[in-house]
Amino acid sequence: MDEHRVLEQFIDAWARRDVDALMELMTETCVFRSSIGPEPGTTFTGAAAVRGAYARLLDPANPPAGTTEQLEITTGDSFGVVRWTARDSAPDGRPVITRAVDVFEFEGDRIAVKDTYRKVLGDAP
């Protein structure tokens, strides 16, 4: 199996906002651990729940205003990490920069887990 190739396909499908193509790369028992929510983050378990989360995130009615740059894909034995940076602007014009990583776990030639971690530009506590 070529985890790197699968992650390239995933990134391409995400950029196209193609939920069907994303789900073709996921297992039926997949898990998506988002970076936002009460856990912290929110965990979506199973293909139907993950599809719903991806559909909300990638809703064509809410296209991203900024840009996302894929920085690096690193893969190992049944896992992969994708580093990325998103750039946008706040309503007052200040830059909004998000640096993040997605950690993927594989089962066979499909993605079993997508776990997102991110840092957001802002005031320190």
Side-chain angles (χ1 to χ4, degrees), residues 29-70:
T29 58
C30 59
V31 174
F32 169 44
R33 296 183 187 119
S34 71
S35 60
I36 300 172
E39 295 175 33
T42 299
T43 300
F44 302 90
T45 302
V50 171
R51 175 182 288 279
Y54 287 173
R56 284 188 299 280
L57 281 170
L58 302 173
D59 184 349
N62 300 313
T67 61
T68 300
E69 174 187 8
Q70 304 302 325

Side-chain angles (χ1 to χ4, degrees), residues 106-125:
F106 289 84
E107 286 180 11
D109 61 352
R110 293 195 175 194
I111 298 167
V113 177
K114 177 185 185 293
D115 198 351
T116 301
Y117 299 87
R118 62 189 191 141
K119 295 180 180 184
V120 179
L121 179 66
D123 296 329

Side-chain angles (χ1 to χ4, degrees), residues 88-103:
D88 204 346
S89 296
D92 65 3
R94 289 181 300 137
V96 176
I97 300 170
T98 302
R99 291 192 180 107
V101 295
D102 289 329
V103 179

Side-chain angles (χ1 to χ4, degrees), residues 23 28 34-35 57 61 64 75 77 85 104-105 110 115 119 124:
M23 295 311 298
E28 281 298 312
S34 71
S35 60
L57 281 170
T75 57
D77 186 27
T85 299
F104 294 87
E105 297 174 27
R110 293 195 175 194
D115 198 351
K119 295 180 180 184

Side-chain angles (χ1 to χ4, degrees), residues 78-94:
S78 298
F79 81 93
V81 176
V82 177
R83 289 190 321 124
W84 53 272
T85 299
R87 300 175 193 283
D88 204 346
S89 296
D92 65 3
R94 289 181 300 137

